[in-house]
Amino acid sequence: QVQPVESGGGLVQPGGSLRLSCAASGSIFSICAMGWYRQAPGKQRELVAGISSGGTTNYADSVKGRFSISRDNAKNMVYLQMNSLKSEDTAVYSCKAVCASVYYWGQGTQVTVSS
């Protein structure tokens, strides 16, 4: 079993940066595809960025060129570097692990972009 735990959210001004971290327990982490999702108030949850077990990444069009996802299998960690943040990036960000077709979700961390 894999249990993701997010950290690193907070309040940041427009144009600023944040790095989110996702710590995932479990010995099978290296075979899991990982993703960051977000949900803003009144909106559906959406995929922000994903990274396969082999390191292939994909991004939502709205964050391409601003966000970067990475993973460290030795530490069971996934990161989301967010730069040039905009007010529309405000949301709860959640980490998801897909391991052998089983989904595991973290509790989420709030990111608020506001002056």
Side-chain angles (χ1 to χ4, degrees), residues 8-11 18 20 39-41 89-93 108-113:
L11 174 64
L18 277 177
L20 304 183
Q39 186 168 22
D89 296 317
T90 295
V92 175
Y93 286 70
T109 185
Q110 177 70 45
V111 172
T112 302
V113 184

Side-chain angles (χ1 to χ4, degrees), residues 21-75:
S21 298
C22 173
S25 62
S27 60
I28 61 171
F29 174 81
S30 63
I31 71 165
C32 302
M34 303 296 297
W36 284 99
Y37 289 73
R38 68 185 180 187
Q39 186 168 22
K43 295 187 176 181
Q44 287 191 329
R45 184 165 56 191
E46 62 174 350
L47 173 66
V48 176
I51 185 166
S52 72
S53 58
T56 301
T57 59
N58 62 286
Y59 297 92
D61 287 343
S62 59
V63 306
K64 282 181 181 177
R66 299 189 298 123
F67 291 12
S68 178
I69 188 171
S70 61
R71 66 189 295 161
D72 184 338
N73 289 340
K75 297 181 179 180

